[in-house]
Amino acid sequence: MNHQFTYQATLAASEKINWSVEDIIGGERRLNFTKPFLSESQARVEPLSFLSPSEKLTLNQIRGHGYLYTFGLVEEFILPFVLDHARPQLRGDDYRVRALLRFAGEEAKHIHLFKRFREEFEAGFGSVCTVIGPPEEISRAVLSHHPLAVALTIAHIEWMTQRHYTDSVVDDQNLDPQFKSLLKHHWMEEAQHAKLDTLMVEALGEACSDVDIDRAIGEYLQIGGLLDGGLQQQVQFDLESFMRATGRDFNDSEREMFIRVQQQAVRWTFLGSGMTHPNFLATLEGLRQGTRAKVEQIAAAFS
Ligand SMILES: [Fe+2]
Ligand SMILES: [Fe+2]
């Protein structure tokens, strides 16, 4: 163990935060469609030099919509998993029960938050953005894996949200303030979730043999492959949504470049930035020596 995370401290931190969906979106709190929603390190619209500034902004916003949808989607499997993890020990450590139930409650709130932002997006963007799914099917496929593999996937996702905010959002003064507020409020609560994930992984790992751990790490990589397949499909949909929104058509080389750059952008946003988070790598190495190097090697393709 190379951390000092506890159920009691994460519970106390969570209880100090306490925002509601209505504090962040609705009424006067509207999206500003003259501003980008995602940082350039995630959207990667600038390499597409054949797009005009307003087309780059439109693509950035389509990717912002995809970000809202993808997080809503992954949180649909995080919520039942955390509840299932809490339930067998409801009479155990009181801090553990309260911290995990609070985690689940916050995740239900985040699902609601991302849906409300999508409603605002749909009301203001002007055309339809196609998305992958349905979330229930992806959730079922992920949850069919070894619990340790699912817990690792969740830890990956939640450390990733920490990195998104601190590496590329907090200092970006150009982003839409409302979208930035969503990312900030999500980051504030995900900080506790990532610590609880670490404790979940450790608890599940303690009950596993080395063979089980190897299997779970293999299945974590399979879940990554499943999500990658979904993300690649989402890029195709983003291309269609972009053409619908702008009326723009591409020649073959422009289309090829759009797909190539955007595939790498979503891979970094949702896979590489989680797989290479130092705390996630430390958790992997704590489970089984040598795992860190294995995952780092695979992550190189998602930079
Ligand atoms: Fe969340
Ligand atoms: Fe979370």
Side-chain angles (χ1 to χ4, degrees):
M1 196 168 79
N2 48 9
H3 61 78
Q4 297 186 324
F5 307 151
T6 66
Y7 293 110
Q8 186 175 358
T10 51
L11 175 66
S14 159
E15 284 178 335
K16 275 193 208 140
I17 295 171
N18 227 10
W19 48 263
S20 73
V21 172
E22 294 70 26
D23 297 333
I24 304 173
I25 193 75
E28 297 295 300
R29 298 175 191 82
R30 313 288 303 272
L31 291 170
N32 179 347
F33 284 90
T34 68
K35 296 273 194 181
F37 294 165
L38 286 190
S39 68
E40 173 60 14
S41 66
Q42 289 164 4
R44 299 195 191 175
V45 299
E46 289 306 327
L48 305 175
S49 51
F50 50 89
L51 300 185
S52 69
S54 85
E55 287 170 338
K56 286 177 181 171
L57 180 66
T58 298
L59 178 57
N60 179 299
Q61 292 172 352
I62 290 171
R63 287 290 316 288
H65 177 265
Y67 191 92
L68 296 173
Y69 182 76
T70 306
F71 266 98
L73 185 147
V74 297
E75 296 199 342
E76 291 216 16
F77 66 75
I78 297 177
L79 174 55
F81 185 83
V82 173
L83 285 173
D84 287 350
H85 186 73
R87 190 172 174 89
Q89 292 180 50
L90 289 180
R91 289 172 187 234
D93 173 41
D94 292 322
Y95 290 117
R96 179 184 181 276
V97 174
R98 291 174 61 204
L100 290 175
L101 291 182
R102 208 166 160 97
F103 178 173
E106 286 167 357
E107 224 58 289
K109 180 175 69 175
H110 298 174
I111 292 171
H112 188 190
L113 177 76
F114 287 120
K115 273 190 202 152
R116 281 290 294 110
F117 265 78
R118 283 188 66 216
E119 284 168 17
E120 291 286 326
F121 182 96
E122 283 160 9
F125 185 66
S127 67
V128 173
C129 291
T130 313
V131 286
I132 55 169
E136 309 83 82
E137 213 169 285
I138 295 169
S139 177
R140 210 176 308 123
V142 171
L143 292 172
S144 70
H145 284 282
H146 193 292
L148 180 56
V150 182
L152 282 169
T153 305
I154 295 172
H156 158 138
I157 291 167
E158 304 202 298
W159 284 120
M160 184 176 90
T161 64
Q162 298 303 287
R163 188 171 205 173
H164 287 175
Y165 188 72
T166 51
D167 282 9
S168 57
V169 176
V170 65
D171 294 326
D172 191 334
Q173 305 312 328
N174 194 31
L175 297 180
D176 166 46
Q178 227 51 53
F179 209 94
K180 190 168 173 175
S181 163
L182 169 142
L183 297 170
K184 180 182 175 184
H185 286 86
H186 194 229
W187 165 76
M188 286 162 72
E189 293 189 335
E190 292 296 318
Q192 280 65 253
H193 299 184
K195 292 174 186 171
L196 293 171
D197 295 335
T198 308
L199 297 172
M200 283 203 297
V201 166
E202 286 171 357
L204 291 164
E206 275 168 22
C208 286
S209 65
D210 284 351
V211 173
D212 288 337
I213 290 175
D214 285 346
R215 185 188 136 205
I217 289 166
E219 291 193 24
Y220 156 71
L221 294 171
Q222 283 175 28
I223 294 171
L226 173 85
L227 297 176
D228 189 39
L231 292 168
Q232 301 315 305
Q233 176 65 59
Q234 185 60 58
V235 170
Q236 296 288 340
F237 286 154
D238 287 350
L239 173 65
E240 291 166 21
S241 301
F242 175 82
M243 289 163 72
R244 193 158 45 231
T246 58
R248 170 88 195 246
D249 204 359
F250 291 136
N251 62 36
D252 287 349
S253 72
E254 289 168 341
R255 181 183 292 260
E256 184 275 324
M257 189 170 173
F258 182 106
I259 297 287
R260 183 163 44 81
V261 169
Q262 286 299 303
Q263 279 185 345
Q264 211 52 29
V266 294
R267 281 183 158 154
W268 168 248
T269 302
F270 295 105
L271 297 170
S273 63
M275 290 171 96
T276 59
H277 192 292
N279 293 356
F280 178 69
L281 289 170
T283 297
L284 277 176
E285 192 67 8
L287 273 179
R288 188 105 154 90
Q289 218 180 354
T291 315
R292 175 196 181 105
K294 183 179 169 187
V295 170
E296 273 182 317
Q297 203 178 5
I298 296 167
F302 302 127
S303 63

